[in-house]
Amino acid sequence: KYMAKPLSDWLKWSIPRIEELGLFSEEKKYLLDIGSGIGCAPALAKYLGHSVLATDIYEKPFDKTTLYYSKVVELFDLDYKPWPVKRFEKSPYRGPFDVISCYCGMFPIISKNPTRVWGVDEWEFFLDDLKSITNPGGLILLNPNEVCRTKDIEKYLSTKGDYREGKIIICL
């Protein structure tokens, strides 16, 4: 249902995300966007001159509700690759990236048991893998969907970087 918003709403939502990632800068960066959703944030980053790899769970960028995503990917000629993030599996895309982002990611829900979310071990593996594909001086910003954050996970993430309001920011 969240995809049913007008495209203009998604663009407005994406502008502060691009600013938060430091992409309104002259220095060109390579962005990995995990769970790109409708694709507006990666499209804006590309428009600003950055290199972008947009990923989501679908083999092809497609949203059954609106078809916005495939249109945004096509319009901005985004490099889109499927990546259904799974526990204890490394990213198939090895970068190295300057910025890695994920807003509202739902991947920490274990698909075979949607009432169970990732624990500390899964998060540690995932963060270590992301760090291994991020350039020195790079930035990782994750904002998992609130249904994926237990108190234990919030406590754990707070030890890994700047953690507030459900977001973890790791500067390498």
Side-chain angles (χ1 to χ4, degrees):
K1 288 188 176 187
Y2 79 96
M3 292 276 197
K5 288 182 183 181
L7 185 57
S8 60
D9 287 357
W10 283 112
L11 287 167
K12 287 177 197 170
W13 183 87
S14 296
I15 290 170
R17 307 304 169 270
I18 294 300
E19 186 172 23
E20 186 172 43
L21 295 169
L23 298 177
F24 282 116
S25 68
E26 295 293 317
E27 180 186 352
K28 299 308 171 204
K29 298 177 181 172
Y30 188 18
L31 167 68
L32 169 62
D33 191 56
I34 303 167
S36 295
I38 200 164
C40 287
L44 286 172
K46 183 169 182 183
Y47 175 78
L48 291 169
H50 302 286
S51 298
V52 177
L53 175 56
T55 68
D56 214 316
I57 62 172
Y58 307 106
E59 190 64 33
K60 293 182 179 176
F62 174 72
D63 168 49
K64 295 180 228 174
T65 309
T66 63
L67 294 180
Y68 281 161
Y69 193 22
S70 61
K71 298 299 182 195
V72 170
V73 168
E74 182 182 317
L75 177 66
F76 287 92
D77 191 28
L78 287 176
D79 185 9
Y80 172 88
K81 304 275 191 227
W83 182 20
V85 177
K86 295 181 182 167
R87 50 187 269 182
F88 301 119
E89 287 186 16
K90 290 186 174 194
S91 165
Y93 312 111
R94 303 313 293 169
F97 301 97
D98 300 304
V99 178
I100 297 178
S101 67
C102 177
Y103 287 93
C104 301
M106 295 288 288
F107 58 83
I109 294 177
I110 297 171
S111 60
K112 293 182 181 174
N113 183 356
T115 60
R116 186 171 176 278
V117 297
W118 282 8
V120 169
D121 291 342
E122 288 94 340
W123 274 104
E124 188 159 21
F125 180 92
F126 183 63
L127 291 176
D128 286 346
D129 184 47
L130 294 184
K131 288 176 187 176
S132 77
I133 61 174
T134 305
N135 280 322
L139 173 76
I140 300 170
L141 190 150
L142 304 174
N143 185 4
N145 190 292
E146 62 188 36
V147 300
C148 303
R149 298 188 311 254
T150 64
K151 289 185 191 237
D152 288 344
I153 295 308
E154 288 190 340
K155 182 178 178 184
Y156 167 75
L157 291 175
S158 71
T159 68
K160 296 299 172 184
D162 183 13
Y163 184 80
R164 60 187 118 113
E165 298 175 12
K167 272 182 225 166
I168 173 100
I169 301 170
I170 302 169
C171 299
L172 301 176

